[in-house]
Amino acid sequence: MRILATALAMPLAAQNCFWGDFGSSLGYGTTDTVYAIRPIGFAFPFAGASYTDIHVNDHGFVQLSNGGVPAPLTTNSPALYTPTVANFVAGGPKIAPLYSDMTLAGGGECWIRSTPTQCTVTWHNVQSYGIPSPRFSFQLVLRPNGDVQFLYGPGCTNNSTFGGVSANAVVGITNGVGPAPASRDLSAGGGSFSSTTHEEFVGANTFDLANNTLGFTGGVFGSVLFSTAGAPANCATTTRYGAGCDGLGLGAVGLPAIGNASFQLRAEAVPAVSPLAFFAFGTVAQNPGLPLGPLLGMTGCSGHTNADLGIFGGSPAAAGPTGITPVSSYGLAIPVSAPLIGTTFATQALALSLANPFGLASSNGLELRLGIDGSRIQPNPQWNMVAIAPGTFQMGQVGVAEPVHQVTLSAPFWMGKYEVTQAQYQSVMGSNPSFFQGASAPNAPQRPVELVSWNDAVAYCQRLTASEQVAGRVPAGYQYRLPTEAEWEYCCRAGTTTAWHTGASLSTSQANFQGALANATHPDGQTAVVGSYAPNAFGLHDMHGNVWEWCLDSSAPYAPGPVTNPFVTGGTFRIIRSGCWDSAITASLCRSASRSGPLPTIANDIIGFRVVLAPVLVP
């Protein structure tokens, strides 16, 4: 499809979008069901204990367990579909994004994705009992540090027609023992000092968390903090509307999130006579659909898209989830391309059918909005990272030893706002090798760490990556590492083409170089507290001077011609950039393009480093 042809660049996303990779289907169209026990993927700390397993049910809550202890509610138990506080508390620890009387009939499905860093449960395309519209989706996210997140789609509601207590809803967390947890208005933000908390919605149509994110923090839940934030408009979504004929349906596996290579459309309950389904794509969503009987003789069928983008054949019909077998799929890998964000188009499935005079059946419609998802997470604020968009720039400088050539960086990344400080290094590595500390170096913890070799800097990045992965704050395919030389210069220039990002000159009032901070104790100069000088246009400090900064690359001449994501490995020496505080360092050595290449084992008081959170590279 032309609409997906150009892979350019993806902006960084907010955390309160749905996570686009749903993982494995637990069930489709089931009623009052507790699904089989599944591993969380890690030991999840909760209310003073830890749990390795999870029971998901189709009514919007999960129960934690260890190998089935405590035992879950049984399928068809009234407590599954009768959401009262008493039922919420009974039977063991429960986490409820939206415990209400709902059903998966007509296209709803539960999913789970368990990894060592995150467990995500998704209730997708569900509906309130007896009310087929609106359909809505919501997610639960668990992380190894005990954090819990509820994410709600815009259609989330509580409007069951069954009446009585079944029209209630409960949202919250409970350890499943003792008295009912504290009741609070969770939409109002704030904090709770109780170990568990909940909000009850009495009666239908009283749900106030739609399109929001609710977060609980605490690990052992000595206290619970919660807040809400609206989902950004550029989140990826799928909207199911209308109905198919002859039983044919159309659903999706995951969300059309930028970079989601595994996204699929799935024709459901494909008639036995049809070897596969066809998928029609158009720029117009027909809702309600246009009757196809007068035009094609397709009884009861509707057209839900104008199909001006084409019709494509899917995979051979084969067994699928219970209730929608057989299925035929169409892979729709969404490239990393910023211009695609916000694009919407409609699709529906077509299949052969002996039950229709014209010999064809059409499915419900599905509107896709390409966008971002929760996997593009923000890094821990403790590390002061700045989001950097991809782009193309001229690397090097005319008339010097660094020839100018075009470089494209195709993926987004984060760059440290400051050089790694002594305090940060100490917190990660447990030691501080720096020369500039003690009585003669005021505010030393906030000065850049130095006396670190390239090997030391790489070890720091590896340890930081490991700890942040455990906390669930590293996107898939990313790591904390040293910047490549190209990433470093791109960030230093921040859109400028002059010798320095400050313009045609650099003074000691703009950066710490040439002994600007010399005194009787350190006559050649010394390091400055990070951030002491004005930032460049990207918001990055000390890209000129203070300490030289290690880059990931080996030292080598630049490759001729335009290059994309250049990265040099295998050499004896490593690149350093930026210049430093020493009196012998002139402005020329602090240029955006200036480069040097010491041995990776060198460690002295003029070299430090900063980190990026960027696509994985191995030096």
Side-chain angles (χ1 to χ4, degrees), residues 61 63 73 77-94 99 165-166 170 174 176 180 200:
F61 68 86
Q63 183 174 313
L73 296 172
S77 165
L80 285 181
Y81 51 81
T82 306
T84 64
V85 175
N87 287 337
F88 176 53
V89 174
K94 293 187 180 66
Y99 173 26
V165 292
S166 287
V170 179
T174 177
E200 185 176 13

Side-chain angles (χ1 to χ4, degrees), residues 373-452:
D373 73 356
S375 66
R376 316 293 181 234
I377 63 173
Q378 298 292 338
N380 188 338
Q382 175 183 350
W383 309 118
N384 296 308
M385 307 300 288
V386 175
I388 307 295
T392 298
F393 74 109
Q394 298 299 312
M395 185 172 176
Q397 184 174 335
V398 175
V400 294
E402 302 93 18
V404 175
H405 57 297
Q406 180 177 293
V407 172
T408 297
L409 300 177
S410 64
F413 61 99
W414 291 264
M415 167 74 88
K417 184 176 185 179
Y418 310 111
E419 294 153 332
V420 172
T421 65
Q422 295 179 31
Q424 289 174 329
Y425 193 89
Q426 175 82 41
S427 70
V428 172
M429 303 300 286
S431 62
N432 179 12
S434 302
F435 173 80
F436 289 105
Q437 57 177 313
S440 65
N443 301 310
Q446 299 310 312
R447 296 185 184 215
V449 68
E450 13 83 15
L451 281 179
V452 285

Side-chain angles (χ1 to χ4, degrees), residues 25 27 60 109 144 166-167 181 203 214 292-293 297 377 414 484 539-540 569 602 616:
S25 175
E109 194 166 4
S166 287
L214 183 61
L292 294 177
I377 63 173
W414 291 264
T484 65
L540 306 172
T569 63
I602 293 294
V616 171

Side-chain angles (χ1 to χ4, degrees), residues 36-38 51-55 63-73 91:
I37 188 171
R38 295 291 295 263
Y51 299 90
T52 58
D53 302 294
I54 193 170
H55 295 280
Q63 183 174 313
L64 305 175
S65 77
N66 286 303
V69 179
L73 296 172

Side-chain angles (χ1 to χ4, degrees), residues 244 248 375 391 441 467 488 600:
L248 183 63
S375 66
S467 64
W488 191 97

Side-chain angles (χ1 to χ4, degrees), residues 46 54-55 57 59-64 80 83-85 87-89 92-100 102 121 123 138-142 148-152 169-175 181 186 197-201 207 209 214 216:
F46 184 82
I54 193 170
H55 295 280
N57 78 81
H59 282 272
F61 68 86
V62 303
Q63 183 174 313
L64 305 175
L80 285 181
T84 64
V85 175
N87 287 337
F88 176 53
V89 174
K94 293 187 180 66
I95 303 176
L98 180 49
Y99 173 26
S100 70
M102 60 183 135
V121 181
W123 291 263
F138 55 96
Q139 279 188 333
L140 165 67
V141 177
L142 307 179
V148 181
Q149 192 175 41
F150 301 162
L151 299 100
Y152 299 100
V170 179
V171 169
I173 58 177
T174 177
N175 57 14
L186 300 180
T197 191
H198 82 283
E199 180 174 5
E200 185 176 13
F201 301 90
F207 189 71
L209 289 168
L214 183 61
F216 301 88

